[in-house]
Each structure stands twice: as C-alpha cells, then as structure tokens.
Amino acid sequence: MASVRTLPVKPDIQQQILVCGELRFTAYTMGEGPLVLLIHGFPDSPDSFRFQLSALAAEGYRAVAVTLRGYEPSSQPKDKSYHVANLARDVIAWVDALDETQAHLVAHDWGASIAYAAVAMAPTRFKSLTAIAVPHPAEFALQAKQDKQQLKRSAYIFLFQLRGVAEWWLARKDWAYIEKLWRTWSPAWQWESTHMQKVKKLFSAAGVKQAALTYYRQALDTKSALGRESAELYQRPILVPCLGITGENDGCIGHELFLRAMPAARFPGGVDICKVANAGHFPHLEATSLVNQRLLTFLRTCEKNFP
C-alpha cells in the first residue's frame, strides 16, 4: 500500500515522503496539473531537476522529483535488490502514492535506464518518456560492444564491479572520483558548488554508496529471476512517445552512439531526438533554457494528442 506524507518546506515547494510498502522515498514537488515524474541518475540527486521543477510548475504541471531507491537509508530494501525490474516497480508505485493513474516521465542517466523499463512494464501508466543522456539500454549494449571509444568511456562500470575497492575509491579524498566523473562527462561545464555538496552529502549517508554501486553490479546479473526479468523488459517496445536528449560533448555516452541506439523500430509510440550543442552529460543543467523549452513543447504535444 502506497501513500504520501507531506512536510512543509517553503512556498511553492513541498517535500513529500512517498510510502511504498516498507520503503520511504523523499520527493520534491511543485505545481498542479498533469503529473511529471523526474528521476535522477548517478552520481546525482533530485536537486539535479531544480530548474525543471520550476519551469514545469509555471506551465501548469505537477512536477515531482523523487530520490532513487537506496539513495537514502529509508529506501534501502532488506534484500538489497536494486535490479532494474524492482526499480521500475518503484516508479509505478510512486504514481500510485501520488494518487494518479498516469504520469509523464523525465529521466536522466540511471533514471532513464529505469524509465525505459517502467514504460515497458506498464505502458498504460505513462503518457510519455523523456530520456536524457542514456539511449535505449538494449541498443546501447549492442552498439557499445562494437565501439572502442565507448568501451573506454564505460570503464568505470568495470571498476564498480570490484567490491570494497570501488566503495573506497568512490569516497576517498572527499568524493574526488565523483567530481572527476562529472568533469569527464561534461568537460566544458562548471557545476554549482552547492549542488555538488548536496550530492556528496547524499552519498555520505549510511548505505548509499553501496546501494548506488549495486545498481551497476546487478545490472550485469543474467542468472537470477530478477536479472532475467530486467533484461526481458528492455526487449519490449516503447509504446509511448519518447524524446531523447543528448549533449554534443557527452563524455559518458557519445552522442553519435546515442543516435545509433535510438532506432525507430524500438519506439512504436514515436521517437524524436534533441541534440544539445556545447553540452555534455548533464544538458538539463548545462543548457537549461533550451532543454526546458524542448521538453515543454514535447509535453504539450503529448497532452494534446494523448490527453
């Protein structure tokens, strides 16, 4: 049974606790209207969508940015399951907890990987999908195997398989590796120091770095029932309209590979691509006005065609 407990924060912003079974997810919401769920990635926090929250609220949407499973002690499951299938179930549970039947999804990085699976699992619960920086996961896996440059970019994933070593490396020297990843992924962008501090504070909470790294470890699981279910979800078609947003200078997933990994055949609901010039892996933060404009245009079209 999912429910919501609302806590006052400041005018126009509410902090909500989404109660989904035994897990508690902190969410930040602004505005009223059609629901837009915003799902952050790694290594990041819901604060990544602060500019989208205000823009969406101003245009008549109920914008809700949710903290991922495991990124706070209250949402760390006892069985330590961070398989994509369960992460997708979280998204559906969030919609229920917010007393809605459908939502638009706007998701970045790992959030995008989860959003593809959620739409595949329950397409009637979602009106659209906006995937930022991460293309279709099954296509990405196929394309990356043949792309030496992308294999080099994805080397951190193999580092994260080293239990104990990866946890130590991620946290050492005041989370210097997080800053290194951000610099590599968005080489021309200087993030706000306050945002980085929020990310470091989030990762410093009990169990968070272990949970975040487990995402990458369980993503490679092909033996368990949950691992097989997760992989199967990525083979299903995306039946809702999709907008893919890629930064031209993305150092995590090259924009050329992004384009190749978004074939129309995977998207019977339709797919459009927005390439953002002079932006890296965080285009929603690096080119906020452009991304917000493109996002709002897409959502309006979806609302008009699929009310």
Side-chain angles (χ1 to χ4, degrees):
M1 185 69 178
S3 62
V4 173
R5 184 166 74 249
T6 301
L7 306 173
V9 178
K10 63 180 181 179
D12 300 324
I13 298 178
Q14 289 184 321
Q15 177 178 312
Q16 296 186 325
I17 305 300
L18 307 188
V19 182
C20 304
E22 296 181 350
L23 304 184
R24 305 291 186 271
F25 300 87
T26 302
Y28 302 90
T29 180
M30 293 183 70
E32 297 293 336
L35 176 62
V36 181
L37 281 179
L38 301 110
I39 313 173
H40 70 88
F42 169 92
D44 210 347
S45 74
D47 190 56
S48 184
F49 288 114
R50 58 193 178 278
F51 300 121
Q52 284 70 48
L53 282 172
S54 56
L56 288 163
E59 293 297 322
Y61 292 94
R62 181 187 184 189
V64 182
V66 189
T67 309
L68 284 174
R69 173 185 287 223
Y71 277 60
E72 53 190 333
S74 63
S75 66
Q76 294 167 9
K78 294 178 182 178
D79 63 2
K80 298 182 180 180
S81 176
Y82 298 97
H83 286 90
V84 164
N86 280 342
L87 299 172
R89 291 187 182 94
D90 289 342
V91 178
I92 298 166
W94 297 340
V95 180
D96 291 336
L98 291 163
D99 295 321
E100 298 283 358
T101 58
Q102 288 185 305
H104 297 280
L105 294 181
V106 178
H108 174 244
D109 189 80
W110 248 108
S113 294
I114 296 165
Y116 287 111
V119 169
M121 180 178 284
T124 61
R125 303 301 304 275
F126 303 103
K127 293 183 177 181
S128 73
L129 165 61
T130 298
I132 305 173
V134 170
H136 191 284
E139 288 292 332
F140 171 76
L142 291 172
Q143 296 288 340
K145 292 178 182 178
Q146 307 169 40
D147 189 321
K148 292 182 179 180
Q149 180 62 29
Q150 184 56 50
L151 289 173
K152 182 178 179 181
R153 288 170 171 156
S154 298
Y156 70 97
I157 296 175
F158 301 102
L159 167 64
F160 289 169
Q161 305 308 310
L162 303 177
R163 299 175 186 274
V165 173
E167 282 84 348
W168 169 77
W169 189 259
L170 189 65
R172 66 189 287 272
K173 296 184 178 179
D174 189 30
W175 308 94
Y177 192 64
I178 290 180
E179 294 195 26
K180 179 182 178 181
L181 288 176
W182 280 32
R183 284 194 301 270
T184 302
W185 294 352
S186 291
W189 175 52
Q190 180 54 60
W191 57 81
E192 294 180 14
S193 60
T194 53
H195 182 50
M196 178 59 72
Q197 290 307 311
K198 289 180 181 179
V199 172
K200 291 180 178 180
K201 181 178 180 181
L202 183 150
F203 271 80
S204 297
V208 171
K209 67 175 181 288
Q210 291 86 356
L213 292 170
T214 302
Y215 275 54
Y216 289 94
R217 293 162 185 167
Q218 293 184 355
L220 301 182
D221 171 25
T222 59
K223 296 182 179 180
S224 73
L226 278 169
R228 292 192 299 271
E229 181 188 7
S230 299
E232 190 275 331
L233 284 172
Y234 286 147
Q235 299 305 319
R236 299 182 191 178
I238 302 298
L239 299 178
V240 304
C242 180
L243 171 64
I245 300 177
T246 174
E248 185 179 42
N249 300 324
D250 193 329
C252 180
I253 296 177
H255 78 275
E256 300 94 344
L257 186 147
F258 186 103
L259 298 175
R260 296 196 304 272
M262 296 290 278
R266 293 278 188 181
F267 299 89
V271 61
D272 193 13
I273 305 297
C274 173
K275 185 172 75 172
V276 183
N278 302 315
H281 192 63
F282 300 84
H284 59 302
L285 289 169
E286 300 173 63
T288 301
S289 296
L290 187 154
V291 169
N292 285 354
Q293 181 182 32
R294 188 66 184 85
L295 171 61
L296 288 166
T297 298
F298 173 65
L299 293 179
R300 291 189 198 104
T301 300
C302 292
E303 285 290 322
K304 180 179 178 180
N305 295 335
F306 305 97

